[in-house]
Amino acid sequence: MTATVRLLAASSGLTGAVLFVGWFVDPAFVLSISGDIAVRVTTAFGLAMLGAMLWAMEATRARGDDARPMGHIVVSMCALWTLLITGLLLVAGLMKMSLGVERLFVSQQVSGPFDVGLGTPSLGTLTALSLAAVAGLCHVFNSRRRHARVRALGYVVSWLGVSALVGHALGVPALFFFSEGLSTGMAALTAACLVAQGVALVLVGRVP
């Protein structure tokens, strides 16, 4: 199970890291692999942070007390940074406010049929990233119910990703969280990474 979690964490986290760096180095590359909906820079950052968080979570679970002090620091930092950015963007999106962060690299992005404001991540994406970060914080706190909470949040994150993938496959915008004037659609690549990270959370949340 440890190898599976690490594979899921590494693949999704590295995908986010490559996309994040890609916005600095070659935005055209990011747009070319994103499909109809571009993976936003803030989304890429969140995926990269959560990949590192999941790796550290599994390390603390597998190695026990020996890995917990440093592992918990990594988990906490990654979760808090992700939650800070995605949480603020989520609240701003629901209130139809602009924080300016979502406009990073806006000149390089193109407006597609499922975009609502250039640079603005999907509300479904922001919700999933925020919930995954909360799962990381639940893992850190030594609660008797932390395993169940991590698993439950993992199922929700996975479901959000699966919903978006089904929406793309069937051509149903509502399933990938597109709402005219409110929410940009979730990119298929983002959805695939979220499914991987949700499954990883479920595996990490199993009782040792």
Side-chain angles (χ1 to χ4, degrees):
M1 288 296 184
T2 296
T4 302
V5 173
R6 288 178 176 174
L7 176 62
L8 294 171
S11 59
S12 59
L14 287 175
T15 298
V18 169
L19 292 171
F20 182 73
V21 174
W23 278 115
F24 290 90
V25 178
D26 188 5
F29 166 74
V30 178
L31 294 173
S32 68
I33 66 173
S34 293
D36 294 336
I37 305 173
V39 178
R40 302 321 201 230
V41 64
T42 46
T43 300
F45 175 81
L47 292 173
M49 287 291 100
L50 291 177
M53 181 194 79
L54 285 164
W55 188 285
M57 287 173 69
E58 178 59 20
T60 60
R61 191 207 66 80
R63 298 179 186 175
D65 293 336
D66 292 339
R68 282 181 181 172
M70 183 56 67
H72 282 178
I73 292 175
V74 174
V75 172
S76 298
M77 292 301 295
C78 291
L80 288 172
W81 272 109
T82 302
L83 195 57
L84 174 65
I85 294 176
T86 59
L88 286 174
L89 288 174
L90 180 59
V91 172
L94 292 173
M95 298 180 66
K96 296 185 178 181
M97 296 171 55
S98 175
L99 298 178
V101 177
E102 69 278 9
R103 293 188 174 274
L104 290 173
F105 308 100
V106 65
S107 61
Q108 288 90 352
Q109 297 197 37
V110 290
S111 179
F114 303 114
D115 287 318
V116 178
L118 292 177
T120 305
S122 164
L123 293 182
T125 299
L126 293 173
T127 300
L129 293 174
S130 298
L131 291 176
V134 170
L137 296 178
C138 290
H139 176 81
V140 171
F141 294 116
N142 192 21
S143 168
R144 200 180 307 175
R145 300 183 61 187
R146 71 180 185 276
H147 298 295
R149 290 169 180 166
V150 171
R151 285 199 307 275
L153 290 169
Y155 283 122
V156 175
V157 172
S158 297
W159 179 86
L160 291 172
V162 169
S163 173
L165 289 176
V166 172
H168 281 285
L170 299 180
V172 182
L175 290 179
F176 53 82
F177 309 105
F178 171 73
S179 178
E180 188 72 39
L182 178 63
S183 175
T184 294
M186 181 189 293
L189 185 55
T190 298
C193 289
L194 288 174
V195 171
Q197 294 188 338
V199 172
L201 283 171
V202 173
L203 295 177
V204 170
R206 66 193 183 281
V207 179

